[in-house]
Amino acid sequence: MTTRPLTVVKCGGNPAVDAAGICADIAGLVQDGQRVLLVHGGSGEIARLSGRLGVPQRTLVSPDKVTTRYTDPATLEVVVLALAGGVKPKLVAELSRLGVPAVGLTGLDGGMLRARRKSAVRAVVDGRTTLVRDNHSGRLGEVRTELPDTLLRSGFVPVVSPPAADEHGLPVNVDADRVAAALAAALGADRLVLLTGAPGVLADRVGATAGVHGVRPGAAARRAPPPPC
C-alpha cells in the first residue's frame, strides 16, 4: 500500500497571514488525497489578549540581535490561552466547515513535544548583556509521533501548537517554526510549507528588508541564526 504524501504547514500568527485561505488550501490538498498536519502560532492573538488582560509584553534581544518573546508565568498563561483557546478552535472550526476532519492538539497532548527549559537567557538590556531568569521558554528536544501519526493514518488533520512539556512535565513556550520543522522531520514529511508575515527569506534579519530570491542548502545553514541560549 502506497503511503499518501504528507505536507506539514506552518500558519503564522501575524495578522497579514490569511488563515481562512490557508484552510481552504489545506482542504484542497485533503480532497486530492494528501495528508496534512497544520502547525500554528498566534502572535497577533497573544498581543490582543495580553492587552485585554493587562499583561505587559516584553521582547528579549540577544547579543547577536535575535529577538524572542520573554515568557514569564503570566505571559505563559496568555500564550496557552491564546493558542489553545483562541486561534486553534477557529482553525479547527474553519477546516470542519470545509469538510476537513481536524483535531486540535498542543505539544502537551500525548507527550508529543518535549523541551528543555532555558534556565537563563542572554539579552541586551540598556546596552549591557545580562542573564534573564524566570523565563518559561524552552529548546525543543524530542518529538513523539505516535499521536499525530495515528490521527494522520485515520484521515484527520492534526492542528498543533505550543506549549511543549519540559523535563518536569510542565508547559514551556517553544518556537512554532521549529515545532513545524521538527514534526516534518520526525514524520518523514514530503513537504514543509512555512506561511508567515515576513516578506520572504531575508538577507539581513536586523533590517528585515532585503529579500533573497534563492539560496542553496549550505548557504541556508550559514544564514540560520544559532539557537538562543
Side-chain angles (χ1 to χ4, degrees), residues 27-203:
L29 291 174
V30 172
Q31 290 167 6
D32 288 342
Q34 297 192 39
R35 298 175 299 153
V36 181
L37 183 147
L38 175 61
V39 176
H40 70 87
S43 57
E45 180 66 12
I46 291 169
R48 186 195 69 81
L49 190 58
S50 293
R52 180 179 174 185
L53 298 177
V55 177
Q57 292 194 92
R58 180 180 171 191
T59 299
L60 300 179
V61 181
S62 69
D64 59 354
K65 302 295 191 290
V66 176
T67 61
T68 58
R69 182 188 306 279
Y70 173 57
T71 310
D72 61 9
T75 300
L76 180 61
E77 290 187 32
V78 171
V79 168
V80 174
L81 182 58
L83 297 183
V87 178
K88 193 183 310 297
K90 293 176 183 176
L91 291 171
V92 171
E94 180 63 14
L95 288 169
S96 178
R97 188 185 71 81
L98 295 169
V100 177
V103 178
L105 303 168
T106 74
L108 300 173
D109 294 309
M112 180 169 41
L113 302 177
R114 307 288 297 189
R116 182 172 62 86
R117 181 182 169 188
K118 304 168 188 175
S119 58
V121 178
R122 288 186 300 167
V124 178
V125 179
D126 296 329
R128 299 179 60 185
T129 299
T130 62
L131 286 178
V132 179
R133 304 187 187 276
D134 198 30
N135 184 37
H136 291 256
S137 64
R139 182 179 291 110
L140 192 62
E142 180 185 359
V143 176
R144 298 178 181 176
T145 61
E146 294 86 354
L147 180 55
D149 189 52
T150 297
L151 291 170
L152 288 165
R153 289 179 183 275
S154 300
F156 292 94
V157 172
V159 180
V160 181
S161 74
D166 70 6
E167 55 269 40
H168 303 294
L170 299 175
V172 288
N173 190 23
V174 290
D175 183 80
D177 289 339
R178 293 181 184 274
V179 168
L183 280 168
L187 291 165
D190 300 276
R191 184 184 305 143
L192 170 63
V193 181
L194 301 175
L195 302 171
T196 74
V201 178
L202 303 177

Side-chain angles (χ1 to χ4, degrees), residues 201-205 210-226:
V201 178
L202 303 177
D204 180 3
R205 65 176 180 267
V212 177
H213 297 291
V215 61
R216 296 181 181 278
R222 291 192 295 272
R223 288 182 183 275

